[in-house]
Amino acid sequence: MNAEILAVGSELLLGQITNTNARFISSQLSELGINVFYHTVVGDNTKRLEQAIEVAETRADLIIFSGGLGPTKDDLTKETIARHLGVSLESDDVALTYIEQFFAKRGRPMTENNRKQALILAGSEVLANHHGMAPGMIFTKNDRTYILLPGPPKELEPMFQFEAKPKLAAMLNDGGIIASHVMRFYGIGEAELEVRVQDILDAQTNPTVAPLASDGEVTLRVTAKAATEQEAQQLIATKVAEIQALVGDYQYGVDDDSLASKTVEMLLDNQLTIAAAESLTAGLFQSELAEIPGVGNALIGGVVTYAADAKIKQLGISKELIDTHGVVSSECAAAMASAVREKFATNIGIGLTGEAGPTAHDHQPVGTVWIGIAINDEEPLTYLLHLSGMRNTNRLRAVKFTCHYLMQLLEERGYTKRY
């Protein structure tokens, strides 16, 4: 099956929002073994949308639409597709009831145009929207499948993953199972990882192994097809073991894990507390950890000490140390880590300092980062990074490397880590 993803919305063409939906859908389709050869974006214009549909039909068996299912006049996806396919639109009772209840609970009047969101293509299979109002749908005609999804990612992503994807898998596999497992790596580049597992990539059949790089991380998606879930998982487990034998030292998690979530998980599992003193990251390390539920039992506090004076006044770092070594130095990072650990009486202290860019200060090149980690009463350890990229990219990578190094240190000291 070959697919085309067709995003509808003039705001995409104007650059007002980014088409993250296409990236998400493509990644999900790759797990099913569906080829995506084209991404198309078209504005809120009936004629141009119909032309885009006609072109897509010449080169795809599956056309997935995102956007244009809302209540306003420029939401024209359903109407255009219905006219193009020669089918009528009908109201879905379940969706309409949900919309009516939504407004009733909030004590707001429901305008007539909101009823438009409950319209579906006659004869289509409805995809429930548990995070918004407009339902999605799957419609098949002349051996071609059309899937309509809402535009907001918070609605589209769960709808596709839990409603549309299982139906596509059943269509493809005649009732069989397609299972997928994502291995997440850090501290190794995409090129090096691919070289190390090249023999596996060259010999892949079932399961398939697909590498993907994003934001300094590398993932391998292992996908298996089988008659049963148990058989598929066994195929995956065998292939995962082969990969881990080659690059397992760099694996930090699986599936939806993140470096921050695994760091928090490790802290909680081992009843460890942490505090951070941040300069170039300006609180980003603490913010990333704070997104993880339950972190309050591990993250005790922290300080943002951007200026040299703040490091002296808030952390008690000596002026002599800064005058001698500078704020972007191993000595300063170590002092920050130790000082913040003592200040908040935690097991772990983190010190982050460096040059995020775009201009250099303190006679250090842009991208220079020092990470300090103090664990209990041990002498703090420091790590030097030379990052290249935009300012905020460097800040985020500094945070990720901090999580990576911290988990390595804790594991080396015998603290438990889940995979």
Side-chain angles (χ1 to χ4, degrees), residues 70-85:
T72 61
K73 288 184 178 180
D74 61 356
D75 291 310
L76 43 77
T77 301
K78 284 183 289 195
E79 292 82 350
T80 305
I81 294 173
R83 184 168 54 254
H84 175 76
L85 296 177

Side-chain angles (χ1 to χ4, degrees), residues 311-319 321-322 332 335-336 339:
K311 295 175 177 65
I312 295 169
K313 293 176 181 177
Q314 297 298 319
L315 296 172
I317 296 174
S318 71
K319 185 176 183 298
L321 183 148
I322 292 177
C332 187
M336 291 170 68

